[in-house]
Amino acid sequence: MSAESTGGDQSPEGAAARGAAMAREKLAQAKADAVKRGQLPRSEPRRRKGAPQRDAGDPQLFGRAIRDLLADRGWEQSAAVGGVFGRWREIVGPELAGHTTPETFADGEVVVAADSTAWATQVRLLASTLVRRLNEELGDGTVKRVKVHGPNVGPRPTGGLRVHGSQGPGDSYG
């Protein structure tokens, strides 16, 4: 009796040959089953990297789809500014971020709110450094100016002890 008749070829080459033959047989069976169901196998080859752009109906990578959507709608800058506002602490540092909050960005101007007049003054002194740092994140020339305002404490209190029509402390000195 030979090794082939018993199916006992134990060499690695023989095992590989049997495995390849079995794979071809199973693939042929799967194709035949697909044809019976009316599902023909793919006729064109799969696309590889560097292949021409996909059709609009084809699935796309998520990141590419988002970038394309932002570009089509003109939202790239708004998304970048939102990203900077979301990472404010990383960009300006924890101490400054603990006392300031970016509020708006329009026409190259970032409006920053400070929690005290002292911190508002500090940010005004650091404005040129802040503009440079923000432009590193957003692209050169995106931010032209930083406007800072202190805490909003509301209108001055009025009451019965107030003299109507006065100019404040200056009117009693002269």
Side-chain angles (χ1 to χ4, degrees):
M1 277 212 276
S2 72
E4 288 179 15
S5 64
T6 61
D9 185 2
Q10 301 297 327
S11 71
E13 295 84 17
R18 281 193 320 276
M22 187 181 301
R24 278 192 295 276
E25 182 182 321
K26 293 296 182 184
L27 178 60
Q29 182 64 42
K31 284 182 179 179
D33 291 345
V35 169
K36 285 180 188 174
R37 289 190 310 265
Q39 298 173 338
L40 299 176
R42 177 189 304 258
S43 59
E44 74 256 0
R46 293 182 184 246
R47 297 186 184 179
R48 300 187 187 272
K49 290 183 181 178
Q53 203 58 338
R54 296 175 181 212
D55 293 337
D58 286 346
Q60 296 182 23
L61 297 174
F62 184 71
R64 181 181 299 156
I66 294 297
R67 280 192 303 274
D68 290 349
L69 175 68
L70 292 175
D72 290 346
R73 305 273 171 111
W75 294 342
E76 292 127 327
Q77 187 175 29
S78 298
V81 169
V84 166
F85 282 16
R87 294 182 305 114
W88 183 252
R89 184 175 210 72
E90 297 170 29
I91 293 169
V92 301
E95 187 175 12
L96 189 60
H99 298 282
T100 61
T101 306
E103 290 190 334
T104 61
F105 174 80
D107 300 324
E109 179 178 85
V110 174
V111 177
V112 178
D115 63 2
S116 70
T117 54
W119 277 103
T121 302
Q122 183 70 19
V123 173
R124 285 186 193 103
L125 293 171
L126 294 171
S128 61
T129 305
L130 193 53
V131 166
R132 182 184 50 77
R133 181 68 181 102
L134 290 171
N135 280 329
E136 286 174 6
E137 293 288 325
L138 296 170
D140 203 26
T142 304
V143 177
K144 295 176 180 71
R145 182 181 140 156
V146 173
K147 184 177 179 182
V148 185
H149 64 81
N152 292 330
V153 293
R156 292 179 63 178
T158 59
L161 301 177
R162 196 155 166 82
V163 176
H164 295 285
S166 73
Q167 298 293 317
D171 66 345
S172 61
Y173 295 115

